[in-house]
Amino acid sequence: MTDTAPTTDWATWQRSWDRQQEWYMPDREDRFRVMLDMVEAVVGPEPRVLDLACGTGSITDRLLRRFPNATSTGVDLDPALLTIAEGYFAGDERVGFVTADLKDPDWTRALPYDTYDVVLTATALHWLHSEPLAALYGQLSGIVREGGVFMNADHMIDEATPRINAAERAMRHVRMDAEKAAGVLDWADWWALAAKDPALAEPTARRYEIYGEHADGDMPSVRWHADTLRAVGFAEARPVWCSPSDTLLLAVR
């Protein structure tokens, strides 16, 4: 009889991450559905995709369920979330992962391909301030092939509507408080659990060395994103989905 180390259930960690994120964004699946609808509409059902700031690979997971012949490169800097992603997709030749800092001007050198049909990202780029985000958009204009697509689903705040913003925020927090009281994990709770898991304790400690509790980025308006993307070389850019707080913006190269 031989002793074997316990196997980490990466699918459970993937689902746990999704549930935690849905506490903040109950319409999260809606944005993913529209995102993939537009992938198919513009570039077809077999895209080469860059999953930007991929986290655990939530976008890639949904991409491959819908488009089995797609391929995906996930890029992120978070060692804990990448550990989950690599475990969850282990053995899937359609998927690869790259560790890179999107604020590093040379991060694209780590990618396995020079160009992609599609670059997708969700609820991640608000970690960047406007200046490095504009620089990143400039780099993406060189990665997305002509006729290809970039989509960003994120918090995009219109400062010209403060009363609407305040009402939406208040309503959202009433819901979140009720769900938290019922036992839903928030960001801090989830990371506390990750720190206790033997497979995630060390990468979780490293991610706190990199990020701290949370990065302090910006949430510019939809217009800022669209104008910036057009300025760096995208031919068209506009929202294709929105909620009271978030927007999915699509840009065509």
Side-chain angles (χ1 to χ4, degrees):
M1 182 176 179
T2 59
D3 293 331
T4 58
T7 301
T8 300
D9 186 346
W10 297 116
T12 294
W13 274 111
Q14 178 73 271
R15 289 192 297 270
S16 174
W17 175 260
D18 283 339
R19 299 295 83 76
Q20 178 256 126
Q21 289 288 285
E22 286 168 359
W23 180 61
Y24 296 94
M25 299 165 287
D27 49 20
R28 188 168 178 256
E29 292 300 327
D30 290 342
R31 73 194 68 194
F32 288 151
R33 175 184 56 79
V34 175
M35 180 181 280
L36 297 182
D37 283 349
M38 297 310 298
V39 167
E40 184 171 11
V42 180
V43 303
E46 299 184 12
R48 176 192 291 170
V49 174
L50 178 62
D51 187 350
L52 192 70
C54 65
T56 65
S58 295
I59 291 175
T60 292
D61 189 29
R62 288 150 181 81
L63 172 80
L64 297 179
R65 290 176 189 274
R66 177 157 172 177
F67 306 126
N69 292 325
T71 58
S72 178
T73 303
V75 58
D76 208 302
L77 186 61
D78 190 311
L81 299 185
L82 280 174
T83 296
I84 295 171
E86 290 166 350
Y88 182 72
F89 291 100
D92 192 331
E93 296 181 353
R94 300 170 296 176
V95 185
F97 292 99
V98 170
T99 300
D101 184 348
L102 298 181
K103 292 183 288 187
D104 182 343
D106 296 323
W107 73 270
T108 59
R109 294 184 181 180
L111 299 176
Y113 303 105
D114 292 332
T115 62
Y116 287 82
D117 302 312
V118 180
V119 177
L120 303 176
T121 188
T123 328
L125 299 189
H126 66 272
W127 283 52
L128 298 177
H129 289 288
S130 298
E131 185 174 346
L133 180 55
L136 175 63
Y137 280 175
Q139 291 176 304
L140 295 181
S141 72
I143 293 173
V144 177
R145 66 161 173 83
E146 186 173 351
V149 169
F150 167 65
M151 278 185 271
N152 179 15
D154 209 345
H155 315 311
M156 300 182 189
I157 305 301
D158 187 343
E159 294 183 353
T161 59
R163 288 186 294 173
I164 295 173
N165 298 346
E168 182 280 324
R169 185 168 54 251
M171 176 68 76
R172 174 161 38 94
H173 280 280
V174 167
R175 172 190 59 79
M176 292 171 69
D177 289 346
E179 293 178 358
K180 183 73 163 61
V184 173
L185 294 180
D186 65 9
W187 174 269
D189 293 335
W190 191 90
W191 281 109
L193 282 180
K196 295 176 182 178
D197 187 293
L200 290 173
E202 189 273 334
T204 296
R206 283 193 285 123
R207 69 91 53 199
Y208 275 102
E209 292 175 0
I210 295 169
Y211 294 113
E213 290 295 329
H214 199 287
D216 181 24
D218 295 333
M219 288 181 280
S221 69
V222 173
R223 181 173 181 176
W224 181 94
H225 287 274
D227 288 348
T228 302
L229 286 162
R230 285 191 290 264
V232 299
F234 285 87
E236 300 177 9
R238 73 165 177 86
V240 292
W241 173 93
C242 70
S243 73
S245 61
D246 292 4
T247 297
L248 171 60
L249 189 139
L250 182 152
V252 176
R253 182 75 173 84

